[in-house]
Every structure is written in C-alpha cells, then in structure tokens.
Amino acid sequence: SPPAITIRQIHSTLTHLVAPGSGPFVSVEGHALLEGDGLMTALPGVLPGTQTAGCVPVAVIDPEKCAVAVFHAGWRGTVAGIVEAGIGRMVREFASRPGDLLAAVGPSIGPCCYTVGKEVQTAFTKKFPYGAQLFQQDQLNLWEANRRQLLEAGVPPASITVVAECTGCARNAAGQKKYFSHRIDHGVTGRMMSVVGIVQTH
C-alpha cells in the first residue's frame, strides 16, 4: 500500500511540499520528523495525511494538475488562515486554478458540541468580516469557517463537500460513538487519519 506521510501538528499555517528530494518525513522508528499542519504533493503513490480528534481535516484536490493537499485546521489554524494560505501555495507550486479545485471538510467537532470562550470569539470576529456569523451564542461552527476560507480562496461552492458529522456526538446505527474526540473524551482518546493521494494510472 502507498506510504502515508504525516507531520507533527502544531496548530500553525505551515504547509510542507512532498516532492522528489524532499523529506525525509518519517524517522526509521516511524515517527513524523517535520512540524506543520499541511501537506501537498503532485507525486503519485504517496498519501499525505492529517490526524485529528476534533480538529477539522480539509482535503483539496486539483484534478487538472493532478495535485492534492490536506490540512489540519483547529480553531487556531483556522483563524490563522491555513486553508486559504495552503491553496495560495498550491497556486504557486502547481499552477493550480482555484476554480478547478475540489474540497472536502471532514468530520470534526460540530457547532452542536463546540462551546468556546470570549478570546476565541474575539479572534474570529477581528480576523474575518463574516466572523460573527460563525457563532451561535458561544458555539463555533468550524465547518462553516473552513468552507468560507475555501470560498474566499476561489473554490466554487458546488465543489466543496462538508461532511457535517460531529466527532463529539455522531453515533453509528448501533448507537455507538463513531469518532474519537479530544474534547468529549477529556484528552484520553485516539486519532482519525484523513489521507488524500494520486493513483498512478500508467
């Protein structure tokens, strides 16, 4: 199976390019070597991934240039603009056109379960003209925050899929919790990995 590449996530806007000669990304023991919160590549046969337990995984695909990216967007990374900055880098690295991009906002803590303090609300309302619209009282909608960044970066609305499943309260058919959640599980939990890649077709 293709190798999954991860990084040590630090709630930043730092994105790494996986290209011939870049890396190494993983130690001989299998630990991530680089810090950051985004990975992008045009190399077939590798799977850039992000690990989450409540933060938002955002995957972006450029089917025209055969390039992909994945971002880890907690509230700090979201307010710092990791997704918009990451798409800007895709434009520079791959000559991507935002109108060609497809994006998915994966499962994360939902507005139903994500109560935040005044400092978080202030950070969003100061940074974004639409910041106040991301809150229902003291509950933050990170899905919408990242969807808005994708729109601001030029991704067409119809090209954005928001999974809209809350890692805090989503249940499967048997009534069991579907996802790990750092917040709901009080810090003692696992991680989900979201990966994206390019298949070698010839």
Side-chain angles (χ1 to χ4, degrees), residues 15-188:
T15 295
H16 293 280
L17 175 67
V18 183
S22 65
F25 291 93
V26 183
S27 70
V28 287
E29 298 83 20
H31 301 302
L33 291 174
L34 296 180
E35 291 185 338
D37 290 276
L39 287 165
M40 58 182 57
T41 192
L43 280 180
V46 297
L47 295 174
T50 183
Q51 299 177 75
T52 56
C55 292
V56 185
V58 180
V60 180
I61 298 167
D62 183 342
E64 296 299 320
K65 303 294 185 183
C66 288
V68 296
V70 65
F71 305 104
H72 165 254
W75 79 260
R76 287 180 180 85
T78 300
V79 85
I82 184 169
V83 169
E84 200 166 348
I87 288 175
R89 185 156 183 205
M90 290 182 78
V91 171
R92 294 192 303 275
E93 297 286 356
F94 311 126
S96 293
R97 293 188 301 258
D100 293 337
L101 301 178
L102 306 172
V105 178
S108 74
I109 195 78
C112 44
C113 292
Y114 195 23
T115 303
V116 298
K118 284 281 182 253
E119 76 285 357
V120 177
Q121 293 192 49
T122 301
F124 276 88
T125 52
K126 277 187 171 177
K127 177 71 183 282
F128 304 112
Y130 54 83
Q133 299 166 30
L134 303 174
F135 292 89
Q136 190 73 39
Q137 295 174 323
D138 57 357
Q139 289 175 288
L140 171 59
N141 189 337
L142 276 179
W143 303 332
E144 179 62 11
N146 282 284
R147 191 186 76 88
R148 291 292 287 261
Q149 277 196 44
L150 289 161
L151 291 173
E152 292 287 327
V155 182
S159 299
I160 303 170
T161 299
V162 179
V163 174
E165 288 213 346
C166 176
T167 52
C169 63
R171 297 285 189 271
N172 63 19
Q176 300 160 316
K177 211 166 158 302
K178 284 181 75 171
Y179 302 103
F180 297 120
S181 172
H182 188 273
R183 174 167 286 235
I184 303 302
D185 301 334
H186 306 292
V188 183

